[in-house]
Amino acid sequence: MSNYNLTSKEKYQNAYQDSMEHPEKFWEEIAEENFVWQKKWENLVDWDFSIPEIKWFEGAKLNITENCIDRHLETRGEKTAILFEPNNPDEPAQHITYNELAKRVNQFSNVLKSQGIKKGDRVCIYLPMIPELAVSLLACARIGAIHSVVFAGFSATALSTRINDSDCKMVITSDGSYRGEKTIDLKGIVDEGLESCDCVETVLVAKRINTNINMKEGRDKWLQPLLDEASVECEPEIMDAEDPLFILYTSGSTGMPKGMVHTTAGYMVYTAYTFKNIFQYEENDVYWCTADIGWITGHSYIVYGPLANGATTIMFEGVPSYPDCGRFWEIVEKHKVNQFYTAPTAIRALAKESDDYVNKYDLSSLKTLGSVGEPINEEAWNWYNEKIGKENCPIVDTWWQTETGGILISALPGITPCLPTFATLPFPGIQPALMDEIGEEINQNNTNGRLCIKFPWPSMARTIWGNHERYKETYFSAYANKYFTGDGAFRDGNGNYRITGRVDDVIIVSGHNLGTAPIEDAINEHPAVAESAIVGFPHDVKGNALYGYVTLKDSGKEIDYDNLRKEINQMITERIGPIAKLNKIQFTNGLPKTRSGKIMRRILRKIACNESDKLGDISTLLNPECVEEIIEGVFVTYA
Ligand code: WT7
């Protein structure tokens, strides 16, 4: 067990060194000693970033649900696995034990089978944060179906694009969802989305808000009656280590969202190992990650990582501001939460509210605080540290991505130092590299560079569903033999990493990864729009917000600009979802372009960030005159 529990700085350092010197032996021991295998691997790791091809634990056979559920039943059967906290604080919380979870997952697995779902089939899950969501992931995994969770805040168009891309046979949804005071008609969105999908044969519908919804004859089925009839026994499908476990879509800087494919064994080993250590989880702790399971954070650190360690993991259905801005802290007190993991955008939003919302509650159970999704600024860090942690809880700033499957850079609480605005040190097995503009690795410290990873780790995505070429192009072509993250980073004199933000056309808004191209595509569909460009600008709650420059086809006539702004945001909401709405829209007569016709977003970004004095040389542009106009337009429109 030596390297699995990193309970001191020496242990971390030794593990890190072992993982560098003998990576195969290192991972072999972790995998062998801490998981249940039906058959051991023949080959620990096989990789070639130039193809790219990455295989871990090849030849091994296992089922991840056996590791997340069955193996705990003997010793932890009556322990709470999932603690469900509903949107409405007056509705009782549900303590779902490991025994109960086993039963529910088996029943759900049998329902999937009875509806014709087999190993390798894709199942789209479009559910709110209710227990059925976690159960449906695990049920897919148990029978070897590949789940594709789509965040239930995405629009009908975004949903149908994702369903079609991976050819899903089934959709699992609910009649609706609760979100603070609102209810959302999820089933209506599914119906609309499915109008443009031919691949879906069955829609399973969970009941949550008890509204009268439309059920399409032959396609739509209520989930509960099927579960009630299903057997509580279901043998797990024995999977190969490299069989796909799930697809999860993430935005790219261009075009379609990318369906990142994660496989079984490596993902399991790495998420479990990082969960255990980055949260220093101890047997009776109550752990809470506030993310939605629709994002990778929820997959890895609400469901798979915690359950593989036999942990108690909270699933919260609601929002931080309902019924008031004390909700998070009320839940921490109520369930005596020990580890609390959230996003900087939530911290900043809550820090704006009165401290009374915090001080009303007893937060003394907290041991570790976590942050994820974007760089956490110093002010937010300090508030989190003082008001929530009472200067007594280490804050782990965890850096990772949908593509990485698990956390790659983070402090270990109480073990390695936490530094505000730094993710700090790489986890064992992770070999970061900073690259310069001409593609050379930067070896000295106290420098900025582009962040790459030099050696594979078990939970890295293996491909983009249906588009391996794009996988290669996006992650392995910028630098030979390295995985390129798309982020910039600074490394200090002690080897600590600070993530400085994206270096491509992806913008992180409230912790959500948004590509500019799909948003621009949505705007350009408006009949009045000729062209558009999106950039990010700093925002005190969201981290970044979106600034859209829009050129109209015809600007001569009397135009109702306010209405046009509403319509543009409406188009974006329909095509992508409300998270991609623009905060500012400026109408322009033209956009700055290079001589080859490429929009110079760098210039637009500077203008949006009030840095028009730092534009540099613009004389080589095709149309330098439009820059001045745009700068002046900022004042006309927003003064
Ligand atoms: C991008 C990945 C990993 C789950 C949530 C987001 C940014 C993420 C941090 C952090 C600075 C961060 C990066 C990364 N990011 N965590 N702790 N410090 N930046 O997953 O949607 O795939 O986005 O989020 O820019 O590349 P994602």
Side-chain angles (χ1 to χ4, degrees):
M1 296 289 269
S2 56
N3 274 329
Y4 193 74
N5 293 318
L6 306 171
T7 49
S8 68
K9 193 167 182 188
E10 292 64 44
K11 286 196 173 155
Y12 161 73
Q13 285 166 338
N14 290 338
Y16 192 80
Q17 201 173 344
D18 286 351
S19 75
M20 293 302 115
E21 285 169 8
H22 312 286
E24 303 218 355
K25 182 161 169 285
F26 175 81
W27 287 113
E28 187 134 55
E29 273 175 21
I30 297 280
E32 206 161 296
E33 291 170 6
N34 300 285
F35 300 90
V36 182
W37 303 90
Q38 293 295 330
K39 179 175 168 279
K40 291 278 157 68
W41 45 92
E42 282 138 26
N43 205 355
L44 192 91
V45 56
D46 221 345
W47 64 290
D48 182 343
F49 282 174
S50 71
I51 300 180
E53 183 175 63
I54 300 120
K55 290 181 182 158
W56 282 86
F57 309 109
E58 220 187 335
K61 298 210 179 278
L62 74 156
N63 187 290
I64 195 169
T65 67
E66 231 184 327
N67 283 275
C68 289
I69 307 172
D70 305 55
R71 66 156 156 166
H72 304 310
L73 298 181
E74 205 172 303
T75 53
R76 301 183 175 113
E78 287 307 301
K79 177 177 176 173
T80 302
I82 294 174
L83 205 175
F84 172 62
E85 173 67 28
N87 177 63
N88 177 353
D90 298 329
E91 192 185 319
Q94 287 180 37
H95 292 257
I96 302 168
T97 62
Y98 275 93
N99 282 331
E100 175 68 18
L101 183 64
K103 198 180 117 199
R104 290 204 203 181
V105 169
N106 285 343
Q107 284 179 313
F108 208 128
S109 304
N110 287 322
V111 169
L112 293 177
K113 285 193 198 169
S114 75
Q115 299 303 313
I117 299 297
K118 298 178 304 296
K119 178 176 175 177
D121 286 345
R122 274 80 60 207
V123 173
C124 172
I125 301 173
Y126 187 71
L127 278 170
M129 282 286 283
I130 56 177
E132 286 85 344
L133 173 54
V135 172
S136 62
L137 265 68
L138 294 161
C140 287
R142 192 157 185 93
I143 69 164
I146 302 169
H147 57 74
S148 168
V149 182
V150 176
F151 171 59
F154 274 126
S155 68
T157 319
L159 175 65
S160 65
T161 308
R162 287 160 175 79
I163 291 173
N164 282 329
D165 182 67
S166 47
D167 218 356
C168 294
K169 245 173 117 171
M170 175 186 269
V171 176
I172 304 172
T173 189
S174 65
D175 53 353
S177 65
Y178 294 119
R179 230 182 130 64
E181 273 162 12
K182 289 191 282 192
T183 55
I184 295 163
D185 174 22
L186 280 194
K187 177 61 167 53
I189 298 173
V190 170
D191 288 342
E192 193 189 327
L194 290 188
E195 281 170 22
S196 38
C197 302
D198 292 330
C199 46
V200 174
E201 292 166 10
T202 314
V203 178
L204 294 181
V205 187
K207 249 198 176 111
R208 178 56 181 148
I209 64 170
N210 295 303
T211 41
N212 247 330
I213 55 161
N214 193 38
M215 294 291 278
K216 186 170 170 188
E217 185 73 42
R219 185 193 71 181
D220 302 351
K221 292 174 184 153
W222 289 106
L223 176 63
Q224 196 57 49
L226 295 172
L227 287 173
D228 291 340
E229 280 170 24
S231 156
V232 297
E233 307 285 338
C234 176
E235 282 303 307
E237 184 79 31
I238 301 309
M239 306 297 286
D240 286 332
E242 284 295 338
D243 278 337
L245 175 63
F246 66 85
I247 302 167
L248 186 61
Y249 287 87
T250 188
S251 316
S253 50
T254 53
M256 276 280 299
K258 298 171 286 190
M260 304 314 305
V261 177
H262 283 283
T263 58
T264 307
Y267 177 82
M268 171 183 79
V269 168
Y270 194 80
T271 55
Y273 183 34
T274 46
F275 170 77
K276 171 75 187 157
N277 290 293
I278 292 168
F279 298 100
Q280 291 289 309
Y281 185 85
E282 289 175 86
E283 184 61 40
N284 295 313
D285 288 346
V286 175
Y287 161 86
W288 181 19
C289 166
T290 69
D292 192 290
I293 292 175
W295 310 114
I296 190 72
T297 310
H299 281 60
S300 302
Y301 298 111
I302 295 177
V303 182
Y304 290 111
L307 296 179
N309 284 282
T312 297
T313 175
I314 294 184
M315 263 184 89
F316 174 45
E317 182 186 29
V319 295
S321 55
Y322 177 80
D324 63 41
C325 291
R327 187 68 194 277
F328 273 3
W329 322 123
E330 185 237 343
I331 296 172
V332 168
E333 176 184 285
K334 177 173 167 192
H335 297 303
K336 300 195 172 51
V337 171
N338 302 110
Q339 291 89 7
F340 178 75
Y341 189 28
T342 197
T345 182
I347 298 168
R348 287 190 298 263
L350 295 172
K352 287 192 140 193
E353 304 294 329
S354 157
D355 285 349
D356 295 348
Y357 287 121
V358 179
N359 296 336
K360 253 172 49 192
Y361 299 103
D362 176 6
L363 305 183
S364 61
S365 57
L366 289 172
K367 297 196 282 194
T368 296
L369 302 176
S371 170
V372 61
E374 60 183 310
I376 175 165
N377 50 306
E378 196 140 9
E379 207 183 333
W381 196 97
N382 287 334
W383 185 86
Y384 202 23
N385 181 40
E386 286 160 26
K387 300 291 163 33
I388 307 304
K390 318 292 181 198
E391 302 192 36
N392 206 14
C393 298
I395 298 176
V396 290
D397 178 0
T398 63
W399 174 83
W400 57 300
Q401 309 176 296
T402 305
E403 296 86 337
T404 68
I407 298 166
L408 300 195
I409 304 183
S410 171
L412 306 182
I415 312 284
T416 62
C418 300
L419 264 183
T421 77
F422 281 80
T424 75
L425 298 171
F427 197 75
I430 304 305
Q431 298 188 28
L434 291 183
M435 309 299 291
D436 67 17
E437 306 260 330
I438 56 162
E440 298 289 332
E441 183 170 351
I442 304 168
N443 289 311
Q444 58 291 23
N445 285 340
N446 291 310
T447 45
N448 282 292
R450 293 174 173 222
L451 183 61
C452 287
I453 313 288
K454 289 194 275 191
F455 193 84
W457 62 98
S459 67
M460 66 193 297
R462 303 296 196 256
T463 189
I464 291 173
W465 184 265
N467 200 344
H468 197 66
E469 202 39 49
R470 187 173 180 200
Y471 174 69
K472 177 177 180 173
E473 172 64 30
T474 311
Y475 305 105
F476 298 94
S477 64
Y479 304 100
N481 277 316
K482 290 180 185 65
Y483 166 83
F484 175 46
T485 65
D487 282 330
F490 170 82
R491 183 171 56 219
D492 77 3
N494 297 317
N496 290 303
Y497 289 86
R498 161 196 269 159
I499 310 302
T500 50
R502 302 290 308 185
V503 294
D504 55 12
D505 286 330
V506 172
I507 307 172
I508 313 274
V509 177
S510 298
H512 300 312
N513 185 330
L514 298 174
T516 51
I519 305 175
E520 289 164 5
D521 292 346
I523 300 173
N524 297 349
E525 278 182 44
H526 191 291
V529 171
E531 198 175 38
S532 62
I534 305 294
V535 298
F537 70 97
H539 184 278
D540 60 353
V541 172
K542 298 177 175 191
N544 295 295
L546 300 179
Y547 194 129
Y549 296 89
V550 178
T551 309
L552 298 177
K553 286 182 181 151
D554 187 356
S555 55
K557 282 186 286 177
E558 276 299 299
I559 292 171
D560 181 350
Y561 288 104
D562 281 339
N563 189 49
L564 213 47
R565 285 196 180 89
K566 281 197 199 111
E567 285 177 6
I568 286 172
N569 267 335
Q570 187 55 34
M571 306 265 316
I572 295 173
T573 305
E574 280 163 19
R575 298 289 188 285
I576 299 157
I579 49 176
K581 282 204 287 199
L582 309 182
N583 258 57
K584 292 188 181 181
I585 300 177
Q586 180 178 356
F587 295 103
T588 58
N589 288 322
L591 298 170
K593 292 193 182 151
T594 62
R595 290 184 188 271
S596 62
K598 200 166 177 274
I599 298 174
M600 289 290 281
R601 289 192 179 70
R602 184 179 57 76
I603 291 175
L604 296 172
R605 207 173 291 133
K606 286 256 163 26
I607 299 173
C609 297
N610 285 326
E611 294 176 352
S612 323
D613 51 327
K614 296 183 198 145
L615 293 183
D617 181 18
I618 56 168
S619 62
T620 57
L621 289 177
L622 190 66
N623 51 351
E625 70 287 349
C626 81
V627 173
E628 202 55 38
E629 239 178 66
I630 291 175
I631 296 173
E632 277 163 21
V634 173
F635 298 102
V636 176
T637 326
Y638 302 108

PDB file of all heavy atoms in Angstrom, residues 350-362:
ATOM      1  N   LEU A 350     -20.587  34.218  -3.992  1.00  0.00           N
ATOM      2  CA  LEU A 350     -20.999  34.180  -2.586  1.00  0.00           C
ATOM      3  C   LEU A 350     -20.235  35.201  -1.753  1.00  0.00           C
ATOM      4  O   LEU A 350     -20.766  35.738  -0.775  1.00  0.00           O
ATOM      5  CB  LEU A 350     -20.833  32.764  -2.026  1.00  0.00           C
ATOM      6  CG  LEU A 350     -21.775  31.743  -2.693  1.00  0.00           C
ATOM      7  CD1 LEU A 350     -21.445  30.330  -2.245  1.00  0.00           C
ATOM      8  CD2 LEU A 350     -23.237  32.074  -2.410  1.00  0.00           C
ATOM      9  N   ALA A 351     -19.007  35.490  -2.155  1.00  0.00           N
ATOM     10  CA  ALA A 351     -18.205  36.459  -1.414  1.00  0.00           C
ATOM     11  C   ALA A 351     -18.791  37.868  -1.519  1.00  0.00           C
ATOM     12  O   ALA A 351     -18.518  38.729  -0.689  1.00  0.00           O
ATOM     13  CB  ALA A 351     -16.758  36.447  -1.927  1.00  0.00           C
ATOM     14  N   LYS A 352     -19.610  38.093  -2.535  1.00  0.00           N
ATOM     15  CA  LYS A 352     -20.236  39.413  -2.706  1.00  0.00           C
ATOM     16  C   LYS A 352     -21.373  39.624  -1.716  1.00  0.00           C
ATOM     17  O   LYS A 352     -21.816  40.739  -1.504  1.00  0.00           O
ATOM     18  CB  LYS A 352     -20.841  39.513  -4.108  1.00  0.00           C
ATOM     19  CG  LYS A 352     -19.821  39.652  -5.197  1.00  0.00           C
ATOM     20  CD  LYS A 352     -20.503  40.030  -6.478  1.00  0.00           C
ATOM     21  CE  LYS A 352     -19.645  41.061  -7.176  1.00  0.00           C
ATOM     22  NZ  LYS A 352     -20.270  41.733  -8.239  1.00  0.00           N
ATOM     23  N   GLU A 353     -21.881  38.525  -1.202  1.00  0.00           N
ATOM     24  CA  GLU A 353     -23.033  38.605  -0.297  1.00  0.00           C
ATOM     25  C   GLU A 353     -22.549  38.866   1.129  1.00  0.00           C
ATOM     26  O   GLU A 353     -21.363  38.762   1.415  1.00  0.00           O
ATOM     27  CB  GLU A 353     -23.821  37.297  -0.349  1.00  0.00           C
ATOM     28  CG  GLU A 353     -24.279  36.896  -1.739  1.00  0.00           C
ATOM     29  CD  GLU A 353     -25.302  37.869  -2.318  1.00  0.00           C
ATOM     30  OE1 GLU A 353     -26.075  38.456  -1.531  1.00  0.00           O
ATOM     31  OE2 GLU A 353     -25.307  38.048  -3.553  1.00  0.00           O
ATOM     32  N   SER A 354     -23.505  39.154   2.006  1.00  0.00           N
ATOM     33  CA  SER A 354     -23.159  39.442   3.400  1.00  0.00           C
ATOM     34  C   SER A 354     -22.507  38.225   4.071  1.00  0.00           C
ATOM     35  O   SER A 354     -22.908  37.083   3.841  1.00  0.00           O
ATOM     36  CB  SER A 354     -24.434  39.827   4.147  1.00  0.00           C
ATOM     37  OG  SER A 354     -24.250  39.602   5.521  1.00  0.00           O
ATOM     38  N   ASP A 355     -21.540  38.485   4.923  1.00  0.00           N
ATOM     39  CA  ASP A 355     -20.886  37.403   5.665  1.00  0.00           C
ATOM     40  C   ASP A 355     -21.855  36.710   6.633  1.00  0.00           C
ATOM     41  O   ASP A 355     -21.581  35.612   7.111  1.00  0.00           O
ATOM     42  CB  ASP A 355     -19.694  37.939   6.467  1.00  0.00           C
ATOM     43  CG  ASP A 355     -18.510  38.246   5.561  1.00  0.00           C
ATOM     44  OD1 ASP A 355     -18.560  37.841   4.370  1.00  0.00           O
ATOM     45  OD2 ASP A 355     -17.558  38.893   6.032  1.00  0.00           O
ATOM     46  N   ASP A 356     -22.980  37.388   6.919  1.00  0.00           N
ATOM     47  CA  ASP A 356     -23.966  36.755   7.809  1.00  0.00           C
ATOM     48  C   ASP A 356     -24.409  35.394   7.281  1.00  0.00           C
ATOM     49  O   ASP A 356     -24.689  34.489   8.050  1.00  0.00           O
ATOM     50  CB  ASP A 356     -25.208  37.640   7.955  1.00  0.00           C
ATOM     51  CG  ASP A 356     -24.876  38.954   8.649  1.00  0.00           C
ATOM     52  OD1 ASP A 356     -23.746  39.041   9.204  1.00  0.00           O
ATOM     53  OD2 ASP A 356     -25.704  39.872   8.616  1.00  0.00           O
ATOM     54  N   TYR A 357     -24.465  35.277   5.960  1.00  0.00           N
ATOM     55  CA  TYR A 357     -24.874  33.994   5.374  1.00  0.00           C
ATOM     56  C   TYR A 357     -23.903  32.877   5.736  1.00  0.00           C
ATOM     57  O   TYR A 357     -24.264  31.721   5.759  1.00  0.00           O
ATOM     58  CB  TYR A 357     -24.950  34.087   3.846  1.00  0.00           C
ATOM     59  CG  TYR A 357     -26.123  34.861   3.340  1.00  0.00           C
ATOM     60  CD1 TYR A 357     -25.941  35.988   2.537  1.00  0.00           C
ATOM     61  CD2 TYR A 357     -27.419  34.467   3.645  1.00  0.00           C
ATOM     62  CE1 TYR A 357     -27.023  36.702   2.051  1.00  0.00           C
ATOM     63  CE2 TYR A 357     -28.510  35.179   3.172  1.00  0.00           C
ATOM     64  CZ  TYR A 357     -28.308  36.299   2.375  1.00  0.00           C
ATOM     65  OH  TYR A 357     -29.375  36.994   1.899  1.00  0.00           O
ATOM     66  N   VAL A 358     -22.661  33.248   5.954  1.00  0.00           N
ATOM     67  CA  VAL A 358     -21.658  32.250   6.311  1.00  0.00           C
ATOM     68  C   VAL A 358     -21.656  32.043   7.826  1.00  0.00           C
ATOM     69  O   VAL A 358     -21.661  30.913   8.317  1.00  0.00           O
ATOM     70  CB  VAL A 358     -20.251  32.713   5.859  1.00  0.00           C
ATOM     71  CG1 VAL A 358     -19.201  31.687   6.256  1.00  0.00           C
ATOM     72  CG2 VAL A 358     -20.221  32.983   4.366  1.00  0.00           C
ATOM     73  N   ASN A 359     -21.666  33.169   8.547  1.00  0.00           N
ATOM     74  CA  ASN A 359     -21.429  33.098   9.991  1.00  0.00           C
ATOM     75  C   ASN A 359     -22.557  32.438  10.778  1.00  0.00           C
ATOM     76  O   ASN A 359     -22.369  32.042  11.920  1.00  0.00           O
ATOM     77  CB  ASN A 359     -21.137  34.498  10.531  1.00  0.00           C
ATOM     78  CG  ASN A 359     -19.842  35.036   9.915  1.00  0.00           C
ATOM     79  OD1 ASN A 359     -18.995  34.257   9.480  1.00  0.00           O
ATOM     80  ND2 ASN A 359     -19.710  36.364   9.844  1.00  0.00           N
ATOM     81  N   LYS A 360     -23.724  32.352  10.150  1.00  0.00           N
ATOM     82  CA  LYS A 360     -24.864  31.680  10.772  1.00  0.00           C
ATOM     83  C   LYS A 360     -24.617  30.194  11.004  1.00  0.00           C
ATOM     84  O   LYS A 360     -25.286  29.559  11.797  1.00  0.00           O
ATOM     85  CB  LYS A 360     -26.057  31.782   9.816  1.00  0.00           C
ATOM     86  CG  LYS A 360     -27.092  32.732  10.277  1.00  0.00           C
ATOM     87  CD  LYS A 360     -28.209  33.045   9.325  1.00  0.00           C
ATOM     88  CE  LYS A 360     -28.980  31.983   8.614  1.00  0.00           C
ATOM     89  NZ  LYS A 360     -29.809  32.601   7.538  1.00  0.00           N
ATOM     90  N   TYR A 361     -23.677  29.631  10.264  1.00  0.00           N
ATOM     91  CA  TYR A 361     -23.541  28.170  10.271  1.00  0.00           C
ATOM     92  C   TYR A 361     -22.233  27.700  10.893  1.00  0.00           C
ATOM     93  O   TYR A 361     -21.226  28.400  10.857  1.00  0.00           O
ATOM     94  CB  TYR A 361     -23.669  27.640   8.833  1.00  0.00           C
ATOM     95  CG  TYR A 361     -25.008  27.972   8.239  1.00  0.00           C
ATOM     96  CD1 TYR A 361     -25.140  29.011   7.319  1.00  0.00           C
ATOM     97  CD2 TYR A 361     -26.156  27.288   8.653  1.00  0.00           C
ATOM     98  CE1 TYR A 361     -26.385  29.345   6.799  1.00  0.00           C
ATOM     99  CE2 TYR A 361     -27.404  27.616   8.144  1.00  0.00           C
ATOM    100  CZ  TYR A 361     -27.516  28.646   7.213  1.00  0.00           C
ATOM    101  OH  TYR A 361     -28.744  28.971   6.718  1.00  0.00           O
ATOM    102  N   ASP A 362     -22.306  26.496  11.433  1.00  0.00           N
ATOM    103  CA  ASP A 362     -21.131  25.869  12.024  1.00  0.00           C
ATOM    104  C   ASP A 362     -20.380  25.119  10.929  1.00  0.00           C
ATOM    105  O   ASP A 362     -20.863  24.108  10.414  1.00  0.00           O
ATOM    106  CB  ASP A 362     -21.609  24.907  13.123  1.00  0.00           C
ATOM    107  CG  ASP A 362     -20.447  24.124  13.728  1.00  0.00           C
ATOM    108  OD1 ASP A 362     -19.278  24.414  13.377  1.00  0.00           O
ATOM    109  OD2 ASP A 362     -20.717  23.229  14.547  1.00  0.00           O
TER     110      ASP A 362
END
